[in-house]
Amino acid sequence: MLFKVEMTVIPPAHLSEDEFNAIKLKEKNYAQELQKSGIWLHLWRVAGLYANVSIFEVKDNQHLHDVLMGLPLYPYMTISVTPLCQHPSSIK
Amino acid sequence: MLFKVEMTVIPPAHLSEDEFNAIKLKEKNYAQELQKSGIWLHLWRVAGLYANVSIFEVKDNQHLHDVLMGLPLYPYMTISVTPLCQHPSSIK
Amino acid sequence: MLFKVEMTVIPPAHLSEDEFNAIKLKEKNYAQELQKSGIWLHLWRVAGLYANVSIFEVKDNQHLHDVLMGLPLYPYMTISVTPLCQHPSSIK
Amino acid sequence: MLFKVEMTVIPPAHLSEDEFNAIKLKEKNYAQELQKSGIWLHLWRVAGLYANVSIFEVKDNQHLHDVLMGLPLYPYMTISVTPLCQHPSSIK
Amino acid sequence: MLFKVEMTVIPPAHLSEDEFNAIKLKEKNYAQELQKSGIWLHLWRVAGLYANVSIFEVKDNQHLHDVLMGLPLYPYMTISVTPLCQHPSSIK
Amino acid sequence: MLFKVEMTVIPPAHLSEDEFNAIKLKEKNYAQELQKSGIWLHLWRVAGLYANVSIFEVKDNQHLHDVLMGLPLYPYMTISVTPLCQHPSSIK
Amino acid sequence: MLFKVEMTVIPPAHLSEDEFNAIKLKEKNYAQELQKSGIWLHLWRVAGLYANVSIFEVKDNQHLHDVLMGLPLYPYMTISVTPLCQHPSSIK
Amino acid sequence: MLFKVEMTVIPPAHLSEDEFNAIKLKEKNYAQELQKSGIWLHLWRVAGLYANVSIFEVKDNQHLHDVLMGLPLYPYMTISVTPLCQHPSSIK
Amino acid sequence: MLFKVEMTVIPPAHLSEDEFNAIKLKEKNYAQELQKSGIWLHLWRVAGLYANVSIFEVKDNQHLHDVLMGLPLYPYMTISVTPLCQHPSSIK
Amino acid sequence: MLFKVEMTVIPPAHLSEDEFNAIKLKEKNYAQELQKSGIWLHLWRVAGLYANVSIFEVKDNQHLHDVLMGLPLYPYMTISVTPLCQHPSSIK
């Protein structure tokens, strides 16, 4: 089951650059594990913004929730979730 | 070069069902040709809405414009365009 | 899998009262069948508005989409969809 | 009398994790008492967000106000309130 | 139980002036009956707009809904509803 | 001359609970004096929110401004002002 | 007593150019009478838009309402009203 | 050349009352000089808000920009700018 | 003096394709004359939309207004106007 | 390939004036280098605001992203990006 998720990062003013870089490194590892396991299907940067457009393939809403709550950057992001399904004109 | 395009169809009140179905058939053929040629990379339906989330791979902004202007449903849609690029955490 | 769906009806100016009543009757039958089958779990009227708040229990996003597309009033409504899951403080 | 209440938590920057966890524990207890007493009728998590969709059954507007003002997380939430009533197509 | 209700009238283009005046007369009678019965507690015009600010005293959400659905101008208005209760600084 | 005023309180993070309570006590006294003098005609709490709906009867815009600027909670509120007048269907 | 009023004209599709010109001529005469009588104190065009920014000097809210309701273009405009008063830094 | 400028002051939390009063005094002097020189043509307080509606008469866009950037309160305000011109119904 | 003007065309439902094409041809001629005379400095299409971003160089606000009001497509467009000036980091 | 980019600077409260001036100087140098190299094609100040309207000529979305991410003021700005292309009425 597919979801489009859009995330915008708002770097926290109260963290040092080192602390924030440590969180970003964890985020990168987490994102790459989920990509390898086929859950984080697509991950694109929005040109010019500290934001991404992502497609997740998950078992259900709960699965999506758990995956997103595990994002190390979650406390520093705004997130929007859009459930997707098969388009009748898609050839896939 | 990738773009996210979101389209929402607003069926016109002044067309008959037959006229509108004819346009939708043209739209389907147009969408499938563009998918086969690798330009319309992804096409998903938004669950519950007469809307889609799409990813286009085009040569440049002009190419994207020409492709979208050719949509048979273009006069009956609202469209938003978001330029995408490589995400540093993407493994692709 | 649960979704909150909010629907607001915008009665069409180009239908006669009889035509619109016929559609509303179909909508009522459709809504009651889906309630009996356990898919349309809750259906409340928003006080003062021609609108409802609903909870659907469906198999997946595609199932939700198909159920909503089947609403006889679909062409005369605006719809918003919110995926739900278990709340850690819920006792159910 | 039913109300839909939507709550979004905005964790305060000036509290330590321990302090905030203590408040969240009180919130959980409060929420579970109200659920057992039949006032907090439904409580769902919004997938991907630190937010919930709730249905309250209360005696009147004042009762709803007093219940919401008692939420330990109240100072750290945005809240929207929608009065509900019987839907003519509901089978309940 | 009190509610603030704000109504804005959008005169319909497809009615003749006579037809619309007939509806406005019915609305006036309906509004005055509800004021005499103590349900429509306050009714003010918003200066410069075809809109009002009203306070209703009703038994419950359902009662409010039934009263508002009975407004002859209902199909030609946008409405917003806000549940009110006792303010701790009020001397009434 | 009547105005609807809506106020939403945003408690300041930089004040202690005692300091803020002292301001709220001043606000209550100020609100009750203005009610007794017939200027603050109505004062209702919005159910579920730290907000009120008020009706002021003042001599002119300047009078309204001076009264609102005198609110001890003024620096911690957002305010919206709507000028009101006689509604042709009002029986008062 | 001063009010800023902003008006945007939305020409009606169902009137002929002659009919609309006749209304605009009435509007011009009405606007000029009110300017001569000192009620419509200032009238500026917003550059590039079919809209104006106006200052009215009226006795009270009711007076403003009656003046605005008398505008021949009133049914074809959106209007916003802002009550003004003396600024402490004004030298007038 | 005329511009409407609307300014809303957001008092900074990090300044003491004395520091902020010193800036407000500078602002008052600056505003009065510009009024005397015929540049700040009108200055009205919005009733109930820490905001003003102003009309500036300047040589060009650059002149307006320089005048506004010189406002001592500029860092603590949100500003909106609307270019104005002659209204065909104005008698001035 | 420079202004950014953004225009979005909303094709009118009540015109035939021939009628609308005739207006678009006039628009093209008008736009090209203004470009040749140095008034319409830049004209870009927004990729994927029936919209443009334009830069006008005019004598004053009145000049801009007259130029925009002369657009043959003016009745079928929404327009936003932003006054520009010299940027301190510009090398031009 | 052209993009319109709009930037609004929000000066950070936690930096000293000297620290912020140092960043602004870096920004100026960076902006002037990009202008000289033909990438930052146009740079205008929005009159009255700490904001600019810019036109970038870049190779692709990625190039635009890299250029914008390099802005020394990037952490203190909100940015919007609009892809542009050839307008059929442009004479360039």
Side-chain angles (χ1 to χ4, degrees):
Chain A
M1 212 170 71
L2 298 176
F3 288 87
K4 182 193 68 162
V5 179
E6 306 209 7
M7 311 177 197
T8 301
V9 180
I10 298 149
H14 67 286
L15 289 186
S16 72
E17 205 176 319
D18 277 1
E19 288 171 311
F20 193 52
N21 282 341
I23 297 173
K24 285 197 286 185
L25 183 58
K26 283 187 198 162
E27 177 85 8
K28 187 170 193 166
N29 291 336
Y30 184 77
Q32 296 194 336
E33 278 173 42
L34 286 166
Q35 288 174 79
K36 285 172 197 157
S37 67
I39 289 168
W40 199 326
L41 212 57
H42 298 287
L43 169 56
W44 298 289
R45 173 65 82 210
V46 180
L49 299 185
Y50 197 170
N52 71 61
V53 172
S54 293
I55 306 292
F56 285 85
E57 177 150 30
V58 291
K59 280 177 293 182
D60 54 19
N61 293 346
Q62 188 69 48
H63 187 196
L64 178 73
H65 185 70
D66 296 342
V67 162
L68 294 178
M69 283 294 143
L71 290 165
L73 279 174
Y74 187 84
Y76 315 112
M77 296 198 300
T78 60
I79 281 193
S80 76
V81 170
T82 305
L84 302 175
C85 59
Q86 177 71 16
H87 193 287
S89 299
S90 173
I91 60 173
K92 292 189 186 172
Chain B
M1 213 171 72
L2 298 176
F3 288 87
K4 183 192 69 164
V5 179
E6 305 209 8
M7 311 178 198
T8 302
V9 180
I10 299 149
H14 66 286
L15 288 186
S16 73
E17 205 177 321
D18 278 2
E19 288 171 311
F20 193 53
N21 283 340
I23 297 172
K24 287 197 286 185
L25 183 57
K26 283 187 199 164
E27 177 84 7
K28 187 170 192 167
N29 292 336
Y30 185 77
Q32 297 195 334
E33 278 172 43
L34 286 166
Q35 287 175 80
K36 284 172 198 158
S37 66
I39 290 169
W40 199 326
L41 213 57
H42 299 286
L43 169 57
W44 299 289
R45 173 64 83 212
V46 179
L49 298 185
Y50 197 170
N52 71 62
V53 172
S54 293
I55 306 292
F56 285 84
E57 179 151 30
V58 290
K59 281 176 292 183
D60 54 19
N61 293 345
Q62 188 69 49
H63 188 195
L64 178 73
H65 185 69
D66 295 343
V67 162
L68 294 178
M69 282 295 141
L71 290 165
L73 279 173
Y74 187 85
Y76 314 114
M77 297 198 300
T78 60
I79 281 191
S80 77
V81 170
T82 305
L84 302 175
C85 57
Q86 178 71 12
H87 192 286
S89 299
S90 173
I91 60 173
K92 291 189 186 172
Chain C
M1 212 171 69
L2 298 177
F3 287 88
K4 182 192 70 162
V5 179
E6 305 210 7
M7 309 177 198
T8 302
V9 181
I10 299 150
H14 66 285
L15 288 186
S16 72
E17 204 176 321
D18 278 2
E19 288 170 312
F20 193 53
N21 283 341
I23 297 172
K24 287 197 287 185
L25 184 56
K26 282 186 199 163
E27 177 85 8
K28 186 170 193 167
N29 292 336
Y30 185 78
Q32 297 195 333
E33 277 173 43
L34 285 167
Q35 288 174 79
K36 284 172 197 157
S37 65
I39 290 168
W40 199 325
L41 212 58
H42 297 287
L43 170 55
W44 298 288
R45 173 63 83 211
V46 179
L49 298 186
Y50 197 171
N52 71 61
V53 172
S54 293
I55 306 292
F56 285 84
E57 179 151 29
V58 291
K59 280 176 293 184
D60 54 18
N61 293 346
Q62 188 69 50
H63 188 196
L64 178 73
H65 185 70
D66 296 342
V67 162
L68 294 178
M69 283 294 142
L71 291 164
L73 278 173
Y74 186 85
Y76 315 114
M77 297 200 299
T78 60
I79 281 190
S80 77
V81 170
T82 306
L84 303 174
C85 58
Q86 178 71 14
H87 193 286
S89 299
S90 172
I91 60 173
K92 291 187 185 172
Chain D
M1 211 169 71
L2 298 176
F3 288 86
K4 182 192 67 161
V5 179
E6 306 208 6
M7 311 177 197
T8 301
V9 180
I10 298 150
H14 66 285
L15 290 186
S16 72
E17 205 177 319
D18 277 1
E19 288 170 312
F20 194 53
N21 282 340
I23 297 172
K24 285 197 287 185
L25 183 58
K26 282 187 198 165
E27 177 85 7
K28 186 170 193 167
N29 292 335
Y30 185 77
Q32 295 194 336
E33 278 174 42
L34 286 167
Q35 287 174 79
K36 285 172 197 157
S37 66
I39 290 168
W40 200 325
L41 212 57
H42 298 287
L43 169 57
W44 298 288
R45 174 64 83 210
V46 179
L49 299 185
Y50 197 170
N52 71 61
V53 171
S54 293
I55 307 292
F56 285 84
E57 178 151 30
V58 290
K59 280 177 293 183
D60 54 18
N61 292 347
Q62 188 69 49
H63 187 196
L64 178 73
H65 185 70
D66 296 343
V67 162
L68 294 178
M69 283 293 143
L71 290 165
L73 278 174
Y74 187 84
Y76 315 112
M77 297 198 300
T78 59
I79 281 191
S80 76
V81 171
T82 305
L84 302 175
C85 58
Q86 178 71 17
H87 193 286
S89 299
S90 172
I91 60 172
K92 291 189 185 172
Chain E
M1 212 171 68
L2 298 177
F3 288 87
K4 182 192 70 161
V5 180
E6 305 210 7
M7 309 177 199
T8 301
V9 180
I10 299 150
H14 66 284
L15 289 186
S16 71
E17 204 177 320
D18 278 1
E19 288 171 312
F20 193 54
N21 282 341
I23 296 172
K24 287 198 287 185
L25 184 57
K26 282 187 198 163
E27 177 85 9
K28 186 171 194 166
N29 291 337
Y30 185 77
Q32 297 195 334
E33 277 173 42
L34 286 166
Q35 287 175 80
K36 285 173 197 156
S37 66
I39 289 168
W40 200 326
L41 212 59
H42 298 288
L43 170 55
W44 298 289
R45 174 63 85 209
V46 179
L49 297 187
Y50 196 170
N52 71 61
V53 172
S54 292
I55 306 294
F56 284 85
E57 179 151 30
V58 291
K59 281 176 292 183
D60 55 18
N61 292 347
Q62 188 69 50
H63 187 196
L64 178 73
H65 185 70
D66 296 343
V67 161
L68 293 179
M69 283 294 142
L71 290 165
L73 277 173
Y74 186 85
Y76 314 113
M77 296 198 301
T78 60
I79 281 191
S80 76
V81 171
T82 305
L84 303 175
C85 58
Q86 179 71 16
H87 193 286
S89 299
S90 172
I91 60 174
K92 291 188 187 173
Chain F
M1 211 170 71
L2 299 176
F3 288 86
K4 182 191 69 161
V5 179
E6 305 209 6
M7 310 178 199
T8 301
V9 180
I10 298 150
H14 66 286
L15 289 186
S16 72
E17 205 177 320
D18 278 1
E19 288 170 312
F20 194 53
N21 282 340
I23 297 172
K24 286 198 286 185
L25 184 58
K26 282 187 198 164
E27 177 84 9
K28 186 170 193 167
N29 291 337
Y30 184 78
Q32 296 194 336
E33 278 173 42
L34 285 167
Q35 287 174 79
K36 284 173 197 156
S37 66
I39 288 168
W40 200 325
L41 212 58
H42 298 287
L43 169 57
W44 298 288
R45 174 62 84 211
V46 179
L49 298 186
Y50 197 170
N52 71 61
V53 171
S54 293
I55 306 292
F56 285 85
E57 179 151 30
V58 291
K59 280 177 294 184
D60 54 18
N61 292 347
Q62 188 68 49
H63 187 196
L64 178 73
H65 185 70
D66 296 343
V67 162
L68 294 178
M69 282 294 142
L71 291 164
L73 278 173
Y74 186 83
Y76 314 113
M77 297 198 300
T78 59
I79 282 193
S80 76
V81 171
T82 305
L84 303 175
C85 58
Q86 178 70 16
H87 193 286
S89 298
S90 171
I91 60 174
K92 290 189 184 170
Chain G
M1 211 170 70
L2 297 177
F3 288 88
K4 181 192 70 161
V5 179
E6 305 209 7
M7 311 177 197
T8 301
V9 180
I10 299 149
H14 67 286
L15 289 186
S16 72
E17 205 178 319
D18 278 1
E19 288 171 311
F20 193 53
N21 282 340
I23 296 172
K24 286 198 286 185
L25 184 56
K26 282 187 197 163
E27 178 85 7
K28 187 171 193 167
N29 292 336
Y30 184 77
Q32 297 196 334
E33 278 173 41
L34 286 166
Q35 288 174 80
K36 284 172 196 156
S37 66
I39 289 168
W40 200 326
L41 212 57
H42 298 288
L43 169 56
W44 298 289
R45 174 63 83 210
V46 179
L49 298 185
Y50 197 170
N52 71 62
V53 171
S54 292
I55 306 293
F56 285 85
E57 179 151 31
V58 291
K59 281 176 291 184
D60 54 19
N61 292 346
Q62 188 68 50
H63 187 196
L64 178 74
H65 185 70
D66 296 343
V67 161
L68 293 179
M69 283 294 142
L71 290 165
L73 278 174
Y74 186 84
Y76 314 112
M77 297 198 300
T78 59
I79 281 191
S80 76
V81 170
T82 305
L84 303 175
C85 59
Q86 178 71 16
H87 193 286
S89 299
S90 172
I91 61 173
K92 291 188 186 173
Chain H
M1 211 170 74
L2 299 175
F3 288 88
K4 181 191 70 162
V5 179
E6 306 210 6
M7 309 177 199
T8 301
V9 181
I10 298 150
H14 66 286
L15 289 186
S16 71
E17 204 177 321
D18 277 2
E19 288 171 312
F20 193 53
N21 282 341
I23 297 173
K24 285 198 287 185
L25 183 57
K26 281 187 199 164
E27 176 85 7
K28 186 170 193 168
N29 292 336
Y30 185 77
Q32 296 195 335
E33 277 173 42
L34 286 167
Q35 288 175 79
K36 285 172 197 157
S37 67
I39 288 168
W40 200 324
L41 213 58
H42 298 288
L43 171 55
W44 297 289
R45 173 64 83 211
V46 178
L49 299 185
Y50 197 171
N52 70 62
V53 172
S54 293
I55 306 292
F56 285 85
E57 178 152 30
V58 291
K59 280 177 292 182
D60 54 18
N61 292 346
Q62 188 69 49
H63 187 195
L64 178 73
H65 185 70
D66 296 342
V67 161
L68 294 178
M69 283 293 141
L71 290 164
L73 278 174
Y74 187 84
Y76 315 113
M77 297 199 300
T78 60
I79 282 192
S80 76
V81 170
T82 306
L84 302 175
C85 58
Q86 178 71 15
H87 193 286
S89 298
S90 171
I91 61 173
K92 290 187 185 172
Chain I
M1 213 170 71
L2 298 177
F3 288 87
K4 182 193 69 164
V5 179
E6 304 209 8
M7 311 177 198
T8 302
V9 180
I10 299 149
H14 66 286
L15 289 187
S16 73
E17 205 178 319
D18 278 1
E19 288 171 311
F20 193 53
N21 282 341
I23 297 172
K24 286 197 286 185
L25 184 57
K26 283 186 197 164
E27 177 84 8
K28 187 172 193 166
N29 292 335
Y30 184 76
Q32 297 196 335
E33 279 173 41
L34 286 165
Q35 288 174 81
K36 285 172 196 157
S37 66
I39 290 169
W40 199 325
L41 213 56
H42 298 287
L43 168 57
W44 298 289
R45 173 65 83 211
V46 179
L49 299 185
Y50 197 170
N52 71 62
V53 171
S54 293
I55 306 292
F56 284 85
E57 178 151 32
V58 291
K59 281 176 292 183
D60 54 19
N61 293 345
Q62 188 68 49
H63 188 195
L64 178 73
H65 185 70
D66 296 343
V67 161
L68 293 178
M69 283 295 142
L71 289 165
L73 278 174
Y74 187 85
Y76 315 112
M77 297 198 300
T78 60
I79 281 191
S80 76
V81 170
T82 305
L84 303 175
C85 57
Q86 177 71 14
H87 192 286
S89 298
S90 173
I91 59 174
K92 292 189 186 172
Chain J
M1 211 170 73
L2 298 176
F3 288 88
K4 182 192 69 163
V5 179
E6 306 210 5
M7 311 178 198
T8 301
V9 180
I10 298 149
H14 66 287
L15 289 187
S16 72
E17 205 177 320
D18 277 0
E19 289 171 311
F20 194 52
N21 282 341
I23 297 172
K24 286 197 285 185
L25 183 58
K26 282 187 199 163
E27 177 85 8
K28 186 170 191 166
N29 292 336
Y30 185 77
Q32 296 194 336
E33 277 173 43
L34 286 167
Q35 289 174 78
K36 285 172 197 157
S37 66
I39 289 168
W40 200 324
L41 213 57
H42 298 287
L43 169 55
W44 298 288
R45 172 65 83 212
V46 179
L49 299 185
Y50 197 170
N52 70 61
V53 171
S54 292
I55 306 292
F56 284 84
E57 179 151 29
V58 291
K59 279 177 292 182
D60 54 18
N61 293 345
Q62 188 69 47
H63 188 194
L64 178 73
H65 185 70
D66 296 342
V67 161
L68 294 178
M69 283 294 142
L71 290 164
L73 279 173
Y74 187 85
Y76 315 113
M77 297 198 299
T78 60
I79 281 192
S80 77
V81 170
T82 305
L84 302 176
C85 58
Q86 178 71 15
H87 193 286
S89 299
S90 173
I91 60 173
K92 292 187 185 173

